Amino acid sequence: MFVRLPRILAVVVLLNVIVAQPAAVTIKVEPYFGGHFKFGEWLPLHVTLTNDGSPVRAEVRADTTGSGGHTTYSVPVELPTGARKRLTVYVQSPSFAQAIRVRLIDGDRELANQSVNLTVERNVNYLVGMIAPRLEAFAVLGGLTLNPSGRNISPLQRPIIRIPMSLSDIPDRVEGLQTLDAIVISDMDTSEMTPDQAQALQAWVEQGGRLILGGGASAARTLGGLPEALARDWRSTDGPADISSLDALGRFGGKDVLVPGPFAASWPAIGHSLIEQDGHVLLAEKRLGEGYVTYAALDLSGSPFDAWAGASRFWEKLLTPGSAYPAGAPTDVSPRVMRSSSIYYALQNLPTLELPAIRPLAGLLIVYIFLIGPVNYLVLRRLRKLEWGWLSIFGLTLVFSAGAFALGSSLRGGDVILNEISVLNFDVQSAAAPVQSYLGIFSPERNAYTLNFAGRALVAPIAAEGNPFGPWGPGGTADYAAVEIVQGEPSQVRGVQVNQGAMQAFRIESPLPEDWNVESDLTLESDRVRGTLINRTSENIVDAVIVYNNRFIKLADLLPGQTQTIDQLWQQTSGTPFPYFLF
C-alpha cells in the first residue's frame, strides 16, 4: 500500500494540471441595444468566437422558453485553429425573459456558454437609440413622456427610453431594428457601416421609423455612409458656417439659448423647414415611406443642446408628430404578436377541416337505424334467437363505428397540407423590406417534420407568442414541445412535432427578392377601388385580398406576368381585424 501511494499522488497532480488548462474555445455575447427589447420583436445578439485549439465545426445556440414550448435559435459555424469570428443570432424572447443563455455546441458536447441579461420594454414605450460620441446632451430625453393626443390619458402617453448605441448596433436586417422608434446619429463617421446595415436602416425608416441626423462641423462624416434616400437632401456644396444667434431655436424650444456661440452649422440643401434662422434652414424634415428623416444643421450631441434649458421641449416637439400609439392596442404586446395570433385562425381555414357533407352522414345514420332496429329484430325473430339481441346490437355498433371512422378519414384525406399566407405592403418599395408570411402545417397523423425556407428567412413559431387566442386570451396553448430553428441560407426548422389532425404554425420574415414585386396603379375612392395590378413575380398569386384600413376587396388569381383590371366596391368589415377577412 505504501509503495503505490506516490503513483496515486502523481495521477492526482496530473489531473489537476489538465483541468486547470484554459478552454481552447471562448464565446462572448453582447445583445444589441443593451439587451432592451419589445415582446414580439427580434433581438439580435453579437456573438464573438475564438478558437486556439483544434478545428471545430459547431453551432451557436440561443435557448428560449415561452408559454408554447422551448425554441432554440442556432447558427452553424466553422472554427479552424486560430479563428476569430463574429456572427449575429436573431432571437424572439418571451415577455417575461430576464436573461438568455447562449451555448456553443459540438454534437452533444458543450464547448462554451454565456448568459446575458435582458430588459423587456412595454410596447407603448418610445425607444430612442442614440449614436454619438457624447451622450450628455441627450440626458433630457430620459424624463420625457410623449402625449400625441394632447389629453391626459395614460394609455396614450409614451415614456421615452434612451438606448445608447454604436454603429455596430445597427443590425444587417431591418427586422432587428423594429424594437426602436427613433434613432439619432450625430458626429459619427457612418462610412464604417456595411451596405447591409445601410439598407436595413433605410427600410426601417420606410416602414415607420424616425431617423434624426445631426449636422455641425462633422455633417459630411455623418452623412457620408448613409444611403442616398436618407442623406441626399441634406448634403450641401457649402462647408460648415459659424452662426452666433439661435433666436429661432429658442422660440421653438420655449427658452432662449443663453449658451455663448459661435455654433458650427451645415445648412441642408432642401427639405421641409421646421426652424429657420437668418434665412437658413436650421431644422428640416421629410417623409420617406411611412417614416420621417429629420436633419438638424447643428451637432445634436454638442453645444448648445448640452446646456440649453429648452432642450427638453425641443425634443418633445420633434418626436411627437407620428408617435401616436394605435388606439385600442395593448400597451405591452407587439403588433406582430397581434397579427400572428389572429392570423392563426385564417391558417386553419382548410377544406379538410370543414364539416363533412350532411348527405353521407345522414345516409349512414339512416342505414344504421334501419339495421339495428327492424332488420336486426326481424332476423333474430326468424331465427328464434331474440336473446342474441344484446350481442348483435353491440356488433352492429362496432361495425358502423368503424365505418364512420373510415368515412371521416377518407373525407379528411391523408396528405400533409401546408397553408401559407403572405402580406405585401404596396407603400414600401425597398428591397430590404421583408415579406411577412405565415405557414401552417397540417398533419393527418402524429409525426415530426423538418421545414426548409429559401433565402435568409427569420422563422418563429406562432405558439411561442402565447396561444391561438393571443397571449391575453382565455384559450389553451398550442404547445409544440421543442423546436430548433437554424438560421442561414436556407433556414431550417427541425423537430416540428404535429399531433394527428392538428396544425403547427410559424411566422416567416424574408427579404423581398430583387426581381419580385407586384406592380400596382390603384385609385382608392370612398366607395370603390379602381386600377390595375401586374404580377411581376414567378409565382401564382391565389386567394389575394387588398386591405385598406377596415375595407377590403377580393381579387381573382394572378398568373406570373398577368395584368388584372380592378373596378370593385369596397367591402366593409365593421371593425373586424385584418386576418379574419381571409375567411
Side-chain angles (χ1 to χ4, degrees):
M1 182 179 229
F2 289 94
V3 174
R4 294 181 181 177
L5 185 58
R7 297 181 182 177
I8 295 175
L9 291 175
V11 172
V12 172
V13 172
L14 179 60
L15 288 176
N16 285 337
V17 172
I18 294 175
V19 172
Q21 289 179 347
V25 180
T26 64
I27 185 172
K28 181 181 179 182
V29 183
E30 300 171 286
Y32 283 59
F33 322 133
H36 293 258
F37 74 97
K38 292 180 179 178
F39 173 51
E41 304 293 359
W42 291 99
L43 174 64
L45 304 174
H46 279 303
V47 180
T48 305
L49 303 168
T50 64
N51 181 22
D52 295 323
S54 57
V56 172
R57 177 177 294 178
E59 285 187 349
V60 176
R61 298 184 183 179
D63 301 305
T64 65
T65 301
S67 59
H70 183 84
T71 304
T72 298
Y73 299 93
S74 65
V75 175
V77 61
E78 292 191 12
L79 296 173
T81 301
R84 301 289 187 274
K85 287 193 176 183
R86 191 173 192 180
L87 52 87
T88 303
V89 182
Y90 289 82
V91 300
Q92 293 245 315
S93 295
S95 60
F96 49 81
Q98 296 181 348
I100 190 168
R101 184 167 176 251
V102 181
R103 301 174 295 153
L104 182 64
I105 302 294
D106 180 12
D108 297 328
R109 187 166 55 110
E110 183 177 293
L111 303 178
N113 72 81
Q114 182 185 342
S115 293
V116 292
N117 295 328
L118 304 179
T119 302
V120 60
E121 299 287 353
R122 298 169 67 219
N123 197 260
V124 72
N125 291 351
Y126 195 92
L127 271 60
V128 179
M130 303 168 298
I131 305 176
R134 303 169 304 279
L135 300 179
E136 294 82 359
F138 306 109
V140 295
L141 289 171
L144 294 182
T145 297
L146 302 181
N147 190 11
S149 67
R151 296 176 295 169
N152 188 23
I153 303 177
S154 57
L156 297 179
Q157 295 179 354
R158 307 196 66 181
I160 292 180
I161 306 297
R162 296 174 301 152
I163 308 293
M165 293 173 53
S166 65
L167 286 174
S168 63
D169 277 329
I170 298 177
D172 59 357
R173 301 192 57 143
V174 63
E175 297 91 339
L177 283 169
Q178 298 300 339
T179 280
L180 301 178
D181 296 283
I183 296 176
V184 182
I185 304 178
S186 189
D187 194 17
M188 295 295 296
D189 185 2
T190 57
S191 63
E192 299 176 2
M193 295 171 56
T194 67
D196 287 340
Q197 287 180 300
Q199 190 180 48
L201 184 62
Q202 177 180 335
W204 170 77
V205 173
E206 292 175 338
Q207 295 175 41
R210 177 183 282 277
L211 178 63
I212 303 171
L213 303 171
S218 58
R221 293 195 318 137
T222 301
L223 301 175
L226 297 178
E228 283 298 298
L230 301 179
R232 64 170 171 260
D233 293 344
W234 321 127
R235 294 195 179 104
S236 175
T237 55
D238 300 329
D242 287 337
I243 181 173
S244 57
S245 174
L246 293 176
D247 296 338
L249 183 63
R251 289 191 295 271
F252 186 83
K255 297 284 184 180
D256 291 338
V257 179
L258 303 179
V259 182
F263 310 98
S266 294
W267 311 116
I270 56 176
H272 172 65
S273 174
L274 298 179
I275 305 176
E276 290 189 11
Q277 178 71 48
D278 299 332
H280 295 287
V281 176
L282 197 61
L283 187 69
E285 186 173 83
K286 72 171 184 177
R287 290 297 299 267
L288 184 63
E290 296 295 314
Y292 297 84
V293 183
T294 305
Y295 175 80
L298 304 174
D299 178 6
L300 295 170
S301 65
S303 182
F305 297 97
D306 55 356
W308 173 37
S312 59
R313 181 59 178 162
F314 167 83
W315 285 109
E316 184 180 353
K317 292 180 67 174
L318 183 61
L319 296 175
T320 295
S323 66
Y325 196 72
T331 59
D332 55 353
V333 178
S334 165
R336 293 166 182 259
V337 177
M338 297 282 292
R339 176 178 288 183
S340 298
S341 299
S342 54
I343 214 166
Y344 189 95
Y345 294 105
L347 291 173
Q348 289 180 319
N349 189 20
L350 298 172
T352 55
L353 299 181
E354 295 177 355
L355 292 175
I358 192 64
R359 289 187 178 181
L361 290 179
L364 183 66
L365 183 61
I366 291 172
V367 172
Y368 171 71
I369 294 173
F370 183 71
L371 289 179
I372 205 170
V375 173
N376 180 48
Y377 173 76
L378 292 175
V379 171
L380 294 180
R381 182 181 177 183
R382 183 177 182 84
L383 296 176
R384 298 180 180 180
K385 297 292 185 179
L386 290 177
E387 64 275 12
W388 289 3
W390 65 272
L391 185 61
S392 61
I393 291 175
F394 179 74
L396 287 172
T397 301
L398 287 180
V399 170
F400 272 85
S401 297
F405 181 81
L407 177 62
S409 297
S410 64
L411 292 175
R412 208 173 170 89
D415 297 330
V416 177
I417 297 176
L418 297 178
N419 196 17
E420 184 175 7
I421 299 169
S422 295
V423 180
L424 299 179
N425 190 341
F426 289 163
D427 291 335
V428 179
Q429 302 298 326
S430 170
V435 178
Q436 294 186 7
S437 299
Y438 304 86
L439 176 72
I441 175 171
F442 172 80
S443 176
E445 59 184 5
R446 179 178 175 83
N447 211 337
Y449 301 92
T450 296
L451 305 177
N452 293 296
F453 300 92
R456 299 170 59 231
L458 291 179
V459 186
I462 290 180
E465 299 155 356
N467 55 58
F469 301 89
W472 53 90
T477 60
D479 293 328
Y480 54 86
V483 171
E484 182 177 350
I485 299 173
V486 182
Q487 297 174 358
E489 295 189 47
S491 297
Q492 187 179 79
V493 182
R494 303 171 183 164
V496 183
Q497 293 282 348
V498 185
N499 292 326
Q500 181 179 11
M503 184 189 73
Q504 176 57 54
F506 295 90
R507 186 181 76 225
I508 306 105
E509 296 178 80
S510 55
L512 186 69
E514 294 182 1
D515 59 346
W516 201 95
N517 70 83
V518 177
E519 184 177 318
S520 62
D521 182 13
L522 301 176
T523 301
L524 307 184
E525 301 177 2
S526 59
D527 63 339
R528 65 196 312 111
V529 56
R530 307 175 192 266
T532 58
L533 281 178
I534 305 176
N535 181 4
R536 298 296 189 190
T537 76
S538 57
E539 306 289 339
N540 295 335
I541 298 179
V542 298
D543 298 329
V545 178
I546 293 180
V547 180
Y548 179 70
N549 293 333
N550 65 336
R551 297 178 290 175
F552 72 99
I553 61 170
K554 295 184 178 181
L555 303 177
D557 294 348
L558 274 170
L559 300 177
Q562 184 178 0
T563 300
Q564 182 176 151
T565 301
I566 300 171
D567 186 0
Q568 296 185 37
L569 291 172
W570 286 113
Q571 298 185 48
Q572 297 289 336
T573 64
S574 301
T576 303
F578 143 67
Y580 297 98
F581 303 171
L582 304 176
F583 282 107

